Amino acid sequence: MAGWDTLRQLFIDSGLQELADVITESIQNNGIDNTSLVYEDLRNSETYKTRFKGNFDRLASGRNMLSEGEYLQQENMYREVMAPYGASALATRDNFAKFIGNDVSVRELNNRFEVAYNRVTKAVDSNDRALVDQLKSMYPGVTDNELATSLLLGREGSEYLNTKINVAEIKAAETETGIQSSLGASFLQSQGINRNQARVGLNKVAEQKAGYEQASRMFGETSTQDLQKELEQENLLGQTSKRTKRLASQSRAQFGGQSGITAGSLGRKKQI
């Protein structure tokens, strides 16, 4: 009886007297040694299914169920993680059930706050429309105020979320500069480019593109295909292309000056 007494006391201490009574009644009906039937009665009770919902979600996805003590301890650890972030309102049994069902560790939850929840909350609070709109396009149907919470409670891990938000940041830089990257936001993110670097680099591309296109035509280039990609590689990744280097050299030879090619920089004859 000692083992069942321990579990009964755990339920009583946790305000789950009804579950303690289920154990008592099942032992009376099935005998103290019929462990499987006692557990069956316990886990078939509606109160148990509601209170330990995360366990049933785990079972449905092929994971093992936590013991009742482990389950309640996990909830307490989630609660401790949330408190410093001012997210006590999210410390609900329903949310804990989602975390437990999705096998979210305490460390993973903390990482989600760091890389996703805090960043998105800051973007919403500061009305960073470029970033918020990009994130909402990735998660259709979610409102501004629901965005951070939906990322926190979802199935996507913190590492994936961090990458996804970084990509959204670069797409936001595209919106701010009015130029869409030919290399692509995902590729730039994979190369370690952040939003500010993307903004600065794409602004330079925008300044130079028309001038290089003009220079291409002037010096007999038959095509300007991939020119923007080459300018992005130069301004964002530090990879100077042979074409831009040649065009810049030809422009300096004909028009003088040491600065790079920009819109309007051509057409001024070199003074002899």
Side-chain angles (χ1 to χ4, degrees):
M1 185 69 178
W4 291 118
D5 282 342
T6 301
L7 186 54
R8 287 182 72 256
Q9 191 60 51
L10 175 66
F11 287 150
I12 292 169
D13 293 342
S14 303
L16 298 168
Q17 179 67 52
E18 186 176 342
L19 293 180
D21 293 341
V22 170
I23 293 175
T24 300
E25 183 179 348
S26 184
I27 289 174
Q28 291 171 349
N29 294 335
N30 301 303
I32 192 171
D33 296 325
N34 206 332
T35 302
S36 61
L37 282 179
V38 176
Y39 261 120
E40 185 177 339
D41 287 345
L42 177 63
R43 291 177 174 173
N44 282 338
S45 69
E46 290 304 315
T47 300
Y48 187 96
K49 290 178 182 178
T50 300
R51 184 61 185 83
F52 296 96
K53 181 182 181 300
N55 258 346
F56 293 96
D57 294 338
R58 291 176 66 86
L59 200 61
S61 60
R63 299 187 176 97
N64 64 301
M65 295 178 77
L66 303 181
S67 72
E68 292 75 19
E70 289 171 334
Y71 193 105
L72 295 171
Q73 182 182 27
Q74 191 76 0
E75 288 185 333
N76 287 333
M77 290 191 291
Y78 288 149
R79 193 174 288 108
E80 289 174 1
V81 168
M82 290 178 160
Y85 294 103
S88 296
L90 297 176
T92 65
R93 289 180 182 176
D94 284 345
N95 287 343
F96 293 156
K98 290 177 183 177
F99 294 142
I100 290 173
N102 291 329
D103 203 29
V104 176
S105 68
V106 171
R107 181 177 181 179
E108 167 63 16
L109 179 60
N110 188 71
N111 289 343
R112 289 188 188 186
F113 270 104
E114 289 291 336
V115 305
Y117 185 86
N118 282 359
R119 290 171 70 186
V120 175
T121 298
K122 181 179 179 181
V124 171
D125 289 347
S126 63
N127 197 31
D128 183 351
R129 293 313 318 169
L131 177 55
V132 172
D133 288 345
Q134 285 297 331
L135 289 169
K136 287 175 70 176
S137 72
M138 295 177 175
Y139 298 93
V142 178
T143 67
D144 289 10
N145 292 332
E146 294 169 341
L147 193 53
T149 301
S150 69
L151 298 186
L152 186 72
L153 300 178
R155 295 178 179 273
E156 297 171 341
S158 57
E159 186 174 342
Y160 181 77
L161 287 171
N162 188 45
T163 297
K164 205 165 184 178
I165 295 172
N166 287 343
V167 170
E169 292 263 17
I170 294 174
K171 286 181 176 292
E174 291 178 331
T175 299
E176 291 165 332
T177 58
I179 181 169
Q180 186 172 352
S181 169
S182 293
L183 294 174
S186 294
F187 176 77
L188 292 177
Q189 188 280 148
S190 73
Q191 300 303 299
I193 301 299
N194 61 33
R195 181 178 181 176
N196 185 59
Q197 290 169 325
R199 185 190 300 114
V200 172
L202 290 174
N203 268 327
K204 288 181 178 178
V205 171
E207 291 171 1
Q208 297 171 353
K209 186 178 178 183
Y212 272 102
E213 288 174 343
Q214 183 182 355
S216 293
R217 293 189 295 270
M218 185 177 296
F219 299 119
E221 291 278 348
T222 58
S223 173
T224 58
Q225 184 178 358
D226 292 332
L227 177 59
Q228 180 178 323
K229 182 183 292 186
E230 292 173 29
L231 290 173
E232 288 181 33
Q233 289 170 332
E234 182 171 313
N235 287 292
L236 290 162
L237 305 178
Q239 303 171 0
T240 304
S241 75
K242 291 181 180 179
R243 172 161 51 176
T244 58
K245 188 175 182 179
R246 182 181 67 255
L247 289 173
S249 177
Q250 289 173 315
S251 295
R252 285 194 297 271
Q254 181 157 346
F255 299 106
Q258 300 299 315
S259 61
I261 297 175
T262 60
S265 67
L266 303 180
R268 296 187 294 274
K269 278 290 185 181
K270 178 180 178 180
Q271 297 297 315
I272 305 297

